[in-house]
């Protein structure tokens, strides 16, 4: 394998990072601290714009006429979260929601805000995912009509949509809240064990 | 895992991750993007700490790779690309450089497909074995091993082939 060693050594001599000075301890400390605290800070920054977009999107979702499942998202933004099919699907024990893969800048979630805006909130486990249609079996309803199952049309994945991996995954528990049939994004829905999410729900409901 | 032990774990492994990912990024992008992507990568490592395997560097490189790809799709792509090109491909030095061997290697690397060159970089610069390369690229260890082997062969061949030109003068294509 000396051939390999030679080749590797030769490649290494061209390493552009060879002369890169190691980060100073202060720099490392800053980066570490930033990562651990940025969860909130990052979301706190672009508040105004996001709220306007989301509010706009939600208003649009509420006021628009009938809703086939697919359409989603206000025309000019990617921040509107999702749209329900309020009609027949909302009957009895099954609730239908949609979750778009919208990207949004968010501010830190607050229990009060969650309490004010959510009209439906539940905890559930993903049973099946078929053709972008996610079915969750409900284990607990925090707010809203009791339901056994919730179906969500999942259209994309971003970390803003769902805390955790950014999308629904089979067998995982989720805490999900919705308003007017739209899943609340920006840290209000996500994997049940996402940091702080359960506390948020306990405080809000 | 409670919050404190989580923080403690992250604080323990972060310095090594920072060092490695900084280098990874310095090799592949301009300083401004590297800073952004490093922060983003750390944030994801922190959020997904529980998923981090014991061999955390390849995993962190994998995260950095995706973050970098995202960043490069971003708005400032054009501008930064220019900065990067001028850095990675500086005007040829006619003065006695480190030796013609490096030019030869650089030219050969440029002639490989980007994925092939990248696998060689992960191997030589990030010092990864096929198993680690597999984690970074999200492929199987077997595939990584095969691709690495082929890339090495191809690089050797390319260099041998261009060896003749080099003896005459300037081997840049």
């Amino acid at each position: 394998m000396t051939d390999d060693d030679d080749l590797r050594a030769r490649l290494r001599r061209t390493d552009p990072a060879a002369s890169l000075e190691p980060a100073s301890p202060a720099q490392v400390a800053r980066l570490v601290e930033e990562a651990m605290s940025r969860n909130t800070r990052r979301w706190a920054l672009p508040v105004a714009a996001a709220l306007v977009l989301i509010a706009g999107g939600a208003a649009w979702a509420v006021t628009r006429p009938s809703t086939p499942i697919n359409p989603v998202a206000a025309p000019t933004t990617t921040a509107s979260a999702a749209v329900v099919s309020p009609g027949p699907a909302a009957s009895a024990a099954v609730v239908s929601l949609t979750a778009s893969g919208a990207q949004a800048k968010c501010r830190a979630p607050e229990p009060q805000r969650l309490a004010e805006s959510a009209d439906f909130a539940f905890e559930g486990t993903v049973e099946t995912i078929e053709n972008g249609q996610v079915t969750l079996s409900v284990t607990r309803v925090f707010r809203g009509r009791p339901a056994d199952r919730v179906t969500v049309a999942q259209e994309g994945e971003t970390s803003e949509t769902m805390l955790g991996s950014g999308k629904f995954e089979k067998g995982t528990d989720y805490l999900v809240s919705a308003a007017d049939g739209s899943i609340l994004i920006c840290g209000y829905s996500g994997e049940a064990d996402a940091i702080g999410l359960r506390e948020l729900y306990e405080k809000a409901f | 895992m409670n919050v404190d032990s989580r923080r403690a774990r992250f604080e323990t492994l972060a310095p090594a991750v920072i060092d490695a990912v900084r280098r990874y990024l310095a090799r592949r992008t301009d300083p401004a993007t590297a800073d952004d992507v490093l922060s983003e990568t750390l944030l994801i490592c922190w959020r997904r700490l529980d998923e981090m395997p014991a061999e955390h560097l390849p995993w962190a490189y994998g995260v950095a790779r995706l973050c970098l790809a995202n960043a490069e799709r971003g708005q400032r792509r054009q501008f930064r690309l220019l900065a990067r090109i001028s850095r990675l491909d500086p005007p040829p030095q006619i003065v006695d450089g480190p030796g013609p061997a490096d030019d030869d290697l650089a030219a050969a690397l440029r002639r490989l497909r980007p994925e092939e060159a990248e696998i060689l970089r992960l191997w030589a610069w990030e010092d990864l074995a096929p198993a680690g390369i597999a984690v970074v690229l999200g492929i199987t260890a077997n595939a990584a091993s095969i691709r690495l082997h082929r890339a090495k062969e191809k690089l050797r061949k390319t260099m041998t082939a261009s060896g003749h030109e080099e003896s005459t003068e300037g081997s840049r294509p």
Side-chain angles (χ1 to χ4, degrees):
Chain A
M1 291 305 265
T2 58
D3 262 10
D4 267 12
D5 291 345
D6 286 351
L7 189 65
R8 205 175 200 178
R10 196 169 162 186
L11 276 161
R12 274 188 193 146
R13 281 196 292 274
T14 67
D15 180 356
S19 57
L20 186 73
E21 284 176 25
S24 69
Q27 208 178 348
V28 170
R30 183 182 56 77
L31 282 164
V32 171
E33 197 47 50
E34 204 180 74
M36 292 192 297
S37 57
R38 216 177 81 183
N39 256 342
T40 45
R41 225 185 295 158
R42 170 178 176 242
W43 297 36
L45 286 176
V47 199
L51 284 181
V52 169
L53 292 181
I54 288 166
W60 176 81
V62 175
T63 52
R64 66 202 287 273
S66 76
T67 40
I69 268 180
N70 241 340
V72 184
T76 52
T77 78
T78 54
S80 109
V83 179
V84 229
S85 62
S91 70
V94 179
V95 176
S96 292
L97 308 168
T98 61
S100 79
Q103 294 198 325
K105 293 292 180 188
C106 311
R107 80 179 203 180
E110 293 161 11
Q112 200 191 341
R113 184 165 295 276
L114 179 58
E116 282 166 8
S117 34
D119 55 22
F120 183 60
F122 71 99
E123 178 170 8
T125 309
V126 173
E127 281 185 329
T128 57
I129 301 178
E130 280 166 7
N131 304 326
Q133 183 82 359
V134 183
T135 306
L136 297 103
S137 75
V138 178
T139 49
R140 176 175 173 189
V141 174
F142 291 86
R143 175 173 290 175
R145 260 194 313 263
D148 300 326
R149 289 207 156 60
V150 174
T151 61
V152 180
Q154 173 161 270
E155 308 210 339
E157 49 193 86
T158 72
S159 56
E160 286 83 5
T161 313
M162 300 285 291
L163 288 180
S165 71
K167 60 170 181 174
F168 288 107
E169 283 167 0
K170 199 174 169 184
T172 305
D173 290 331
Y174 291 87
L175 288 164
V176 178
S177 52
D180 300 318
S182 308
I183 285 194
L184 296 175
I185 62 172
C186 279
Y188 291 109
S189 300
E191 288 172 27
D193 57 4
I195 307 273
L197 191 59
R198 187 171 297 278
E199 289 87 323
L200 185 74
Y201 275 57
E202 297 298 349
K203 277 188 197 150
F205 304 112
Chain B
M1 205 175 351
N2 68 38
V3 177
D4 283 345
S5 68
R6 214 171 171 271
R7 286 181 74 98
R9 184 175 173 224
F10 187 68
E11 277 166 359
T12 315
L13 59 79
V17 170
I18 289 174
D19 189 58
V21 172
R22 268 181 85 237
R23 285 174 192 285
Y24 175 91
L25 294 169
R27 288 163 182 144
R28 290 167 177 82
T29 187
D30 61 284
T33 311
D35 281 351
D36 288 354
V37 174
L38 177 59
S39 300
E40 195 62 31
T41 304
L42 283 174
L43 182 66
I44 292 175
C45 289
W46 164 245
R47 279 190 189 156
R48 302 177 60 182
L49 191 59
D50 306 342
E51 298 166 37
M52 231 174 170
E55 275 288 316
H56 49 258
L57 286 189
W59 189 88
Y61 288 139
V63 172
R65 182 174 77 92
L66 297 178
C67 289
L68 181 60
N70 273 336
E72 290 186 337
R73 276 195 289 272
Q75 294 174 344
R76 277 169 281 184
R77 181 169 178 273
Q78 291 291 340
F79 172 76
R80 285 176 169 165
L81 195 60
L82 286 178
R84 187 169 143 203
I85 288 168
S86 62
R87 195 174 57 80
L88 289 184
D89 194 16
Q93 291 190 345
I94 306 165
V95 203
D96 49 325
D102 290 334
D103 271 354
D104 201 19
L105 178 67
L109 272 175
R110 276 197 296 272
R111 245 170 272 150
L112 299 190
R113 285 190 290 127
E115 314 87 78
E116 293 170 332
E118 181 58 14
I119 246 180
L120 289 170
R121 288 188 204 107
L122 289 170
W123 172 64
W125 291 352
E126 270 77 36
D127 207 9
L128 293 175
I133 294 175
V135 174
V136 181
L137 300 179
I139 57 180
T140 66
N142 200 22
S145 181
I146 293 166
R147 287 184 207 176
L148 175 61
H149 180 74
R150 283 190 191 143
K152 282 191 263 189
E153 291 302 305
K154 195 163 166 187
L155 181 66
R156 281 201 194 92
K157 251 185 226 164
T158 316
M159 284 196 292
T160 328
S162 65
H164 305 288
E165 303 168 36
E166 185 229 330
S167 61
T168 60
E169 183 181 331
S171 62
R172 282 170 181 279

